[in-house]
Amino acid sequence: MAFTPYERPVRAAFVGLGRIFDLNVRAYLDNPDVEVVALVDPSEERRSERGADWPGAATFASAAELAASGLEVDAVEALLPIPLHEEGVIELLGYGWHVNLQKPMCNDLAAAQRMIDAAEANDRLLRVMENYVFYEPLVRLKELVTSGELGEVSGYHMKMVGSGRGGWDVPASSYHWQFQQMTHGRGILVFDDGWHKLATALWLFGPIREVRAWVGGTEVMPGVEIDAPTTIAWEHHNGIRGVWDITLAPDMYLRSDYYTNDERWEVTGRRGYARVNRCTGRGIQQPSLEAYADGEMRSSHALDDDWASSFRDSGRHWLRWLHTGEGPMLWSGEEATNILRFALAAYASSESGGAGVDPAALR
Ligand SMILES: NC(=O)c1ccc[n+]([C@@H]2O[C@H](COP(=O)([O-])OP(=O)(O)OC[C@H]3O[C@@H](n4cnc5c(N)ncnc54)[C@H](O)[C@@H]3O)[C@@H](O)[C@H]2O)c1
């Protein structure tokens, strides 16, 4: 669509006021690009809790009530449970609002297409928010890769350990829909959190031609299986191979202000390597970015490596773009569908015993 930036602050509504609101809201605080006009959630308790921070915003129990109120809204921050993404986004676009949706976009390609079609039909924008590509150590990792300092890239490695103890409280209601996702074969590590990891591979090295995967499972309580151990390997069109290894450590305590993920990223080049040591949790407490070449290790000690800052910057990027047109905007619904294809290719490969699957060939 031909999009004309607003020449005034964007009028925004939050739809969904749960756990992740705490971080998404950072983009909206003290931001002259936006005016928060409404908060929507069926939970009265959440409306009054969140409403205290936004006294100028009206509160509603549903998006339909907001639409019927006649309040002018330009864009919504959709923080809905994943099973509600498709229906919710189509509804929000239908009211004539641009939508910034949380990841994962949805569970299958048909749903993704319906969401993209709804954006087109209503002449509105659908953005699928990705915060990791705004996390400063990863942004700097990308700069190192493109600067050529590491030499030609030979490979990409990611490691994640889902640990069971530490971090912030997650409401039982969030686990309810996560369990629902798991029963549909869309696990919390590979699909939900995995969205971010797969996104970084596409962002760093471009399109992928083949994915091979071995998705495992560990029962952590009767009837609840977490999707690890899992290993996913792939090859980009440019020949660079990547691998992502997921391990579960249910009894391990990990210090974290947020979720308890121990995450690492490493790019190996022909001349050196660079490594991001942590992100969501405070796993390895060394500088968050280290780069090695020619016998010397360079450590970055003063990066903004608080995971929450990536939400602030991702959200600000969207609001700035709506307000002024400064871009390019990361990621459109179509670009996000490539991340979905990557994940679905991993599932298809695992189901076929690890055969190579071309994400573009999935229907
Ligand atoms: N970017 C990230 O790293 C990250 C991290 C965590 C969660 N998320 C994503 O954020 C989204 C929300 O996750 P969460 O952890 O905040 O979930 P949550 O369960 O804590 O919150 C969801 C909120 O939506 C509300 N809700 C339910 N139905 C609604 C409706 N029809 N209209 C309006 N509100 C409704 C619920 O009452 C609840 O307050 C999910 O898509 C999740 O995958 C992203």
Side-chain angles (χ1 to χ4, degrees):
M1 61 165 288
F3 168 68
T4 312
Y6 296 97
E7 284 176 4
R8 52 165 173 74
V10 176
R11 296 167 299 195
F14 281 92
V15 177
L17 307 175
R19 179 72 275 188
I20 212 60
F21 173 93
D22 289 284
L23 301 188
N24 275 73
V25 75
R26 296 191 184 206
Y28 290 76
L29 297 166
D30 301 321
N31 185 346
D33 287 328
V34 69
E35 182 192 351
V36 175
V37 295
L39 304 173
V40 179
D41 199 296
S43 157
E44 160 95 66
E45 192 187 344
R46 289 195 178 152
R47 288 200 304 275
S48 66
E49 185 194 344
R50 306 312 198 178
D53 294 335
W54 299 100
T59 60
F60 300 90
S62 71
E65 280 181 26
L66 165 58
S69 74
L71 191 70
E72 298 275 356
V73 171
D74 303 311
V76 294
E77 185 74 24
L79 307 178
L80 293 165
I82 302 168
L84 301 184
H85 279 190
E86 181 192 352
E87 191 190 327
V89 162
I90 291 172
E91 180 188 358
L92 299 171
L93 290 164
Y95 295 134
W97 304 328
H98 301 299
V99 175
N100 189 30
L101 175 67
Q102 270 293 335
K103 52 38 67 177
M105 182 181 186
C106 54
N107 287 343
D108 57 56
L109 290 172
Q113 193 56 53
R114 287 192 288 272
M115 293 158 94
I116 291 169
D117 290 346
E120 263 173 35
N122 292 290
D123 204 20
R124 297 292 89 180
L125 298 163
L126 170 60
R127 178 198 192 217
V128 181
M129 177 276 192
E130 175 50 64
N131 52 299
Y132 279 57
V133 302
F134 290 87
Y135 182 59
E136 192 180 3
L138 287 170
V139 171
R140 294 283 295 276
L141 177 72
K142 186 169 165 56
E143 284 168 13
L144 275 167
V145 166
T146 46
S147 73
E149 273 180 62
L150 307 175
E152 192 185 327
V153 173
S154 316
Y156 184 43
H157 295 84
M158 291 184 278
K159 173 180 168 71
M160 182 170 89
V161 180
S163 97
R165 296 174 46 231
W168 64 3
D169 291 332
V170 175
S173 53
S174 308
Y175 282 116
H176 179 75
W177 57 260
Q178 283 291 2
F179 292 156
Q180 198 182 328
Q181 281 290 98
M182 289 175 202
T183 58
H184 290 103
R186 301 290 181 262
I188 193 163
L189 299 179
V190 174
F191 193 71
D192 179 357
D193 190 73
W195 186 274
H196 301 297
K197 310 302 182 307
L198 305 181
T200 66
L202 288 166
W203 171 68
L204 283 166
F205 303 117
I208 285 163
R209 63 176 165 221
E210 187 172 321
V211 182
R212 292 171 186 258
W214 190 6
V215 180
T218 304
E219 193 173 69
V220 290
M221 61 177 92
V224 177
E225 194 179 86
I226 300 289
D227 47 348
T230 287
T231 304
I232 304 176
W234 60 91
E235 188 170 84
H236 293 266
H237 279 281
N238 60 12
I240 293 172
R241 286 197 183 175
V243 62
W244 179 34
D245 182 51
I246 313 174
T247 319
L248 194 63
D251 303 326
M252 186 170 89
Y253 170 77
L254 184 79
R255 186 177 166 212
S256 177
D257 297 324
Y258 317 107
Y259 303 98
T260 51
N261 286 350
D262 184 10
E263 301 153 296
R264 312 176 202 165
W265 288 258
E266 186 160 325
V267 175
T268 308
R270 292 178 65 119
R271 230 182 110 211
Y273 66 84
R275 193 170 62 212
V276 171
N277 285 319
R278 61 174 184 277
C279 181
T280 314
R282 303 198 199 185
I284 296 180
Q285 296 190 21
Q286 287 168 9
S288 49
L289 176 70
E290 296 177 300
Y292 171 86
D294 299 330
E296 285 184 8
M297 185 71 115
R298 223 154 24 93
S299 304
S300 300
H301 289 260
L303 302 182
D304 185 354
D305 52 21
D306 179 352
W307 185 55
S309 300
S310 66
F311 285 81
R312 179 197 64 204
D313 293 347
S314 173
R316 281 187 183 166
H317 167 82
W318 159 247
L319 297 166
R320 188 89 198 133
W321 192 78
L322 285 177
H323 188 187
T324 66
E326 260 177 57
M329 198 264 288
L330 291 174
W331 309 76
S332 66
E334 288 81 356
E335 287 167 317
T337 305
N338 291 329
I339 307 172
L340 178 63
R341 281 185 177 279
F342 191 174
L344 297 181
Y347 286 126
S349 169
S350 186
E351 279 157 22
S352 69
V357 174
D358 175 0
L362 295 175
R363 294 286 165 261

